[in-house]
Amino acid sequence: MNHLLKAPFCVHPKTGRVCVPIDPSRVADFFPMEVPTVGSLAAELDSYAGPAVEDLAKTSLKPYMDFFVEQFLRPMQQDLLRSESLASEADLSW
């Protein structure tokens, strides 16, 4: 591995591997060759025979998306809501 993909969930054009976010505290447990590929995700969706659930839940991408939501998106949303609340409380009249 001589480079890093930086955008989460982008696909490497040659390998088809999906760039996934990882927990820095568990980097020793991360194996890049085990991340989902576009082909493996399509096969997981095609072969799913369980109960009706959203497509993401049928794939090996779900734990990575859950981590991304909990560790990045949700905190960012909370910060934005906090900022909006502070801005609306500020008296900007002259």
Side-chain angles (χ1 to χ4, degrees):
M1 302 267 165
N2 60 3
H3 66 280
L4 297 173
L5 296 174
K6 295 186 170 107
F9 309 108
C10 67
V11 177
H12 189 280
K14 291 184 181 176
T15 66
R17 295 194 186 285
V18 179
C19 181
V20 295
I22 61 170
D23 183 345
S25 67
R26 300 189 64 217
V27 72
D29 299 330
F30 178 68
F31 301 100
M33 300 309 285
E34 294 179 5
V35 300
T37 64
V38 172
S40 70
L41 294 171
E44 290 169 356
L45 289 170
D46 289 344
S47 66
Y48 184 79
V53 293
E54 63 178 315
D55 284 345
L56 180 62
K58 301 172 188 176
T59 72
S60 55
L61 198 57
K62 184 170 181 359
Y64 298 106
M65 181 59 87
D66 291 346
F67 176 79
F68 186 66
V69 168
E70 292 303 318
Q71 298 299 315
F72 181 73
L73 294 180
R74 189 153 292 132
M76 184 172 61
Q77 179 186 35
Q78 291 169 347
D79 285 347
L80 288 170
L81 291 172
R82 197 170 17 261
S83 295
E84 288 174 0
S85 175
L86 291 174
S88 68
E89 292 174 5
D91 182 8
L92 301 177
S93 61
W94 295 93

